[in-house]
Amino acid sequence: MNIATQAAQIGLDWDTRTGAVTVPIYQTATFRHPGLGQSTGYDYSRSGNPTRQALEGGIARLDGGARGFAYASGMAAIANLLLLFRSGDHLVVTEDLYGGTCRLFDQILVQYGLSFTYVDTSDPEAVRGAIRPETRALFVESLTNPLLKVADVAALSALCRERGLLCIVDNTFLTPYLLRPLDLGADVTVYSGTKYLSGHNDTVSGLVAVRDQVLADRVYFLQNSVGAVLGPQDAWLTIRGMKTLSVRLDRQQENAGRIAEWLARHPRVRRVFYPGLPDHPGHELLARQARGFGAMIAFEVDDKALVERVLLNTELISFAESLGGVETLITFPQVQTHADIPPAVRERLGINDVLLRLSVGIEDADDLIADLDQAFGGGSQRPGPGNR
Ligand SMILES: *Cc1c(COP(=O)(O)O)cnc(C)c1O
């Protein structure tokens, strides 16, 4: 079944008693037992809650996994998965990693004896070269943040299989609608549900899908033992968002394509990073492996002073962190999302003082382009504060 259909119908068949079209919010901590040694299948909401389960089943279906899991945030999901490893284990990781993931690995998990090697995971040979005898897994972002490098998930999964490594894909930027890593051989997908899956900048959540049942049982053990589960209200909001994933992303991608082309022609823009542009190094690969190119754009302006001007002068586009929602947001990765990456590493990766990142929303593309145009100080007349 098409993923758009599956997404729209998450939770639909849950309440057979009333026939409710949406899954109810089971705002309960505990469940009554029908008899001694008997259970309705629900005992305590950390271990299992129907609203959360509707969401967990939904992400499992969208990704083609044996089982899904919902967590209090994307970071809670990643932290829980990393508990699959033990002191002495080594992981190979995408070098331009989400800042929060980098902080978790380098400032916290290293204290527990895990070690990490950061490589350009858009280069499978670089990944191969970083594997050591104690390597247990590859943690890769399918489309990286903020420079939008594309990982060859099929090639990397094959390499992991060959070397006996777990292949974990942070697929936040693409979602199962655009890329299904488990179909390409990955073992686990992880998402910040906060971003495209919820899609409305109104919920913080994390999701995981696991391909194999044995591994899924282990992840369930960790989820229940550590307890960073998603509450029923936020599970419901995440489901509500996921129902419109396909229409939102179709529109967001269409807008992103137009904005990227406009930026690429702008005299004050030095470089545009958008995999939908034919000269992007990952263009061919995504065209082959994915349904689309996503709706994140990074670009370099030609002068440091312009960064602040653009950030402060956009009016429709909000200067805010996060991404993936219906509202277009702009950020300055160097001082915001990627502040926790060591400065030398940031500079080497190209996360510099002229790089801006756009998360393109569902507004009208012409309105967004007009807003960028006036923020750059070009073309159209700028309205004064009274006209806002
Ligand atoms: C936001 C983000 C995370 C962390 O998710 P939270 O929901 O903010 O905890 C992890 N990976 C990527 C790629 C992200 O964009």
Side-chain angles (χ1 to χ4, degrees):
M1 199 187 293
N2 187 288
I3 203 162
T5 311
Q6 287 176 331
Q9 304 216 341
I10 294 173
L12 186 72
D13 52 2
W14 202 266
D15 187 350
T16 48
R17 191 169 65 83
T18 68
V21 169
T22 62
V23 63
I25 301 172
Y26 287 86
Q27 191 66 47
T28 184
T30 190
F31 301 83
R32 287 194 292 173
H33 301 302
L36 194 61
Q38 292 176 9
S39 167
T40 59
Y42 300 98
D43 303 307
Y44 186 60
S45 274
R46 168 161 44 71
S47 308
N49 174 284
T51 315
R52 193 177 90 224
Q53 270 184 5
L55 170 60
E56 294 178 330
I59 191 65
R61 264 196 307 285
L62 295 197
D63 248 338
R67 189 159 176 182
F69 302 92
Y71 296 89
S73 69
M75 289 318 306
I78 294 170
N80 207 237
L81 286 176
L82 267 284
L83 297 176
L84 289 166
F85 307 103
R86 58 183 64 199
S87 179
D89 288 352
H90 170 257
L91 286 87
V92 178
V93 180
T94 298
E95 62 180 356
D96 48 337
L97 198 64
Y98 174 71
T101 311
C102 187
R103 179 175 58 201
L104 172 71
F105 290 2
D106 280 0
Q107 295 184 43
I108 300 173
L109 295 178
V110 290
Q111 297 177 344
Y112 296 87
L114 297 187
S115 63
F116 304 92
T117 299
Y118 293 89
V119 299
D120 178 354
T121 46
S122 68
D123 174 7
E125 286 316 301
V127 174
R128 185 182 289 277
I131 297 172
R132 303 183 198 158
E134 65 274 24
T135 306
R136 294 288 170 265
L138 172 65
F139 185 100
V140 54
E141 289 183 4
S142 49
L143 183 58
T144 70
N145 175 18
L147 290 170
L148 305 159
K149 287 189 179 169
V150 180
D152 186 339
V153 173
L156 294 174
S157 301
L159 173 61
C160 285
R161 181 103 24 93
E162 176 197 323
R163 305 296 293 267
L165 312 180
L166 202 64
C167 184
I168 303 172
V169 179
D170 182 336
N171 197 33
T172 297
F173 275 35
L174 289 172
T175 80
Y177 180 57
L178 300 181
L179 183 83
R180 300 224 315 173
L182 303 187
D183 287 351
L184 298 172
D187 299 294
V188 181
T189 50
V190 59
Y191 299 92
S192 170
T194 316
K195 315 292 168 56
Y196 289 101
L197 291 168
S198 296
H200 293 75
N201 289 318
D202 57 8
T203 325
V204 171
S205 65
L207 296 169
V208 164
V210 179
R211 189 155 53 94
D212 160 77
Q213 187 61 52
V214 174
L215 183 63
D217 291 346
R218 178 75 191 151
V219 173
Y220 174 69
F221 173 80
L222 294 171
Q223 183 197 35
N224 186 41
S225 300
V226 176
V229 294
L230 191 63
Q233 303 266 357
D234 285 337
W236 188 89
L237 265 177
T238 305
I239 292 171
R240 207 265 288 265
M242 279 167 72
K243 285 170 176 279
T244 56
L245 177 67
S246 65
V247 283
R248 282 187 284 106
L249 260 171
D250 284 346
R251 172 63 169 262
Q252 283 170 286
Q253 291 195 109
E254 195 185 308
N255 284 352
R258 285 201 47 208
I259 292 169
E261 280 169 19
W262 181 82
L263 285 168
R265 285 194 307 268
H266 198 285
R268 305 290 314 265
V269 173
R270 212 159 64 184
R271 277 176 87 178
V272 179
F273 303 86
Y274 180 63
L277 294 175
D279 62 352
H280 186 282
H283 179 78
E284 297 289 320
L285 180 59
L286 269 191
R288 201 168 64 239
Q289 272 187 9
R291 188 201 286 254
F293 303 103
M296 298 299 299
I297 302 172
F299 62 99
E300 283 180 2
V301 294
D302 67 358
D303 178 10
K304 227 163 68 178
L306 195 53
V307 167
E308 196 170 357
R309 185 152 100 213
V310 172
L311 289 175
L312 297 184
N313 286 345
T314 52
E315 290 169 1
L316 287 176
I317 300 173
S318 300
F319 173 29
E321 291 188 39
S322 200
L323 60 108
V326 293
E327 304 91 352
T328 300
L329 306 181
I330 190 163
T331 55
F332 184 30
Q334 188 191 56
V335 303
Q336 292 184 292
T337 48
H338 291 68
D340 280 303
I341 299 201
V345 177
R346 253 188 345 233
E347 202 51 41
R348 180 170 60 78
L349 296 177
I351 305 169
N352 56 36
D353 59 5
V354 289
L355 185 80
L356 291 167
R357 189 191 77 182
L358 272 176
S359 167
V360 179
I362 64 166
E363 303 93 334
D364 180 77
D366 290 329
D367 286 341
L368 294 172
I369 288 171
D371 191 36
L372 283 170
D373 189 44
Q374 65 79 20
F376 269 102
S380 54
Q381 195 106 61
R382 223 179 53 239
N387 302 335
R388 286 185 191 187

